[in-house]
Amino acid sequence: MDMAWQMMQLLLLALLTAAGSAQPRSARAGTDLLNVCMNAKHHKTQPSPEDELYGQCSPWKKNACCTASTSQELHKDTSRLYNFNWDHCGKMEPTCKRHFIQDSCLYECSPNLGPWIRQVNQSWRKERILNVPLCKEDCERWWEDCRTSYTCKSNWHKGWNWTSGINECPAGALCSTFESYFPTPAALCEGLWSHSFKVSNYSRGSGRCIQMWFDSAQGNPNEEVAKFYAEAMNAGAPSHGIIGS
């Protein structure tokens, strides 16, 4: 399928969905969608090289919105960044936790999320991401590796008991397996952070979905993805990754 046909599909979908879709608060200007950082709690004002990025955040070291200090904190069970405890229902399995660390690295470090940055009126940040088209394999693997770990909530953005200074399960919320709270991969990836992600029908390597995991020696594949959706948005199409699937 050539680019002209894909762009026509994007524009057709925009026309079909514009009337019924709930629009988020204003997106960034079309000229400010590439190689940018969110206006959020720990992000740098603009991306730059960070040679000392730690652990799972290291793929972004050539161009990052996070600092080395932030990358180190992201690997702690309860980091000082947000005082968020992954182990709120007992010890999270390491195979599961690595996905949350990778998700955090993507959020804090990636300069390729511009097409999905939206303004918000929150005390701790002025911008968030919404409906980032996450490659389907990354979501499926996340769900498979976490289905036997435990949690007490299906939306981790809100509703916690913070009286101790860290997140604890609210009264009446029972600890159960991830699979109980997230019966499908999409329920996890889309519901966990209030639709920060939209599970794409595209696969890794397609150039049409954002990869949480990539080998930096081969370059950052998300640069191409951001460019594609930025061009589509400038042409008037939506930025989620469901076209041509």
Side-chain angles (χ1 to χ4, degrees):
M1 184 182 297
D2 60 27
M3 179 62 72
W5 178 246
Q6 281 193 319
M7 292 300 294
M8 187 167 70
Q9 279 194 309
L10 286 165
L11 290 169
L12 284 172
L13 184 68
L15 291 172
L16 290 171
T17 60
S21 62
Q23 295 297 316
R25 299 187 64 172
S26 58
R28 289 191 169 202
T31 56
D32 195 23
L33 297 176
L34 300 177
N35 197 38
V36 294
C37 300
M38 269 180 281
N39 182 0
K41 190 172 184 180
H42 300 290
H43 291 73
K44 301 189 308 190
T45 56
Q46 57 187 10
S48 61
E50 291 284 347
D51 292 339
E52 302 301 320
L53 287 191
Y54 181 75
Q56 291 179 220
C57 296
S58 62
W60 286 273
K61 66 183 179 180
K62 291 182 180 178
N63 195 34
C65 289
C66 62
T67 64
S69 175
T70 293
S71 71
Q72 291 174 348
E73 285 293 324
L74 292 176
H75 290 72
K76 297 180 179 179
D77 290 342
T78 304
S79 84
R80 61 176 177 82
L81 298 179
Y82 302 101
N83 292 327
F84 195 92
N85 179 22
W86 305 121
D87 300 328
H88 50 269
C89 277
K91 193 72 173 174
M92 181 183 283
E93 294 292 333
T95 52
C96 175
K97 188 172 294 181
R98 68 191 189 99
H99 291 277
F100 284 92
I101 294 171
Q102 197 71 12
D103 166 42
S104 299
C105 289
L106 175 68
Y107 172 80
E108 299 287 350
C109 302
S110 178
N112 307 122
L113 300 175
W116 305 280
I117 292 176
R118 301 293 182 266
Q119 295 178 4
V120 289
N121 183 20
Q122 295 177 328
S123 61
W124 56 285
R125 63 180 180 180
K126 299 301 180 185
E127 292 180 325
R128 63 163 293 185
I129 50 174
L130 185 68
N131 291 329
V132 173
L134 182 66
C135 294
K136 61 181 181 180
E137 296 93 343
D138 283 4
C139 179
E140 290 165 357
R141 188 176 172 192
W142 190 355
W143 184 77
E144 284 290 346
D145 286 348
C146 287
R147 58 194 300 181
T148 57
S149 286
Y150 284 77
T151 186
C152 58
K153 284 174 50 55
S154 58
N155 185 327
W156 289 15
H157 256 158
K158 57 188 179 180
W160 296 100
N161 175 2
W162 289 97
T163 54
S164 69
I166 64 172
N167 61 302
E168 295 180 348
C169 297
L174 300 177
C175 287
S176 189
T177 62
F178 266 58
E179 193 168 12
S180 327
Y181 281 97
F182 306 108
T184 65
L188 171 64
C189 300
E190 297 178 4
L192 184 73
W193 302 124
S194 303
H195 300 281
S196 290
F197 291 119
K198 171 78 174 177
V199 181
S200 176
N201 288 326
Y202 282 108
S203 295
R204 292 168 54 83
S206 66
R208 299 295 179 264
C209 60
I210 291 292
Q211 295 182 200
M212 279 206 314
W213 304 83
F214 60 91
D215 179 2
S216 59
Q218 306 299 318
N220 185 339
N222 296 329
E223 293 176 2
E224 176 189 350
V225 179
K227 183 178 180 181
F228 173 80
Y229 286 105
E231 290 174 353
M233 288 179 70
N234 288 334
S239 56
H240 46 73
I242 61 173
I243 315 306
S245 54

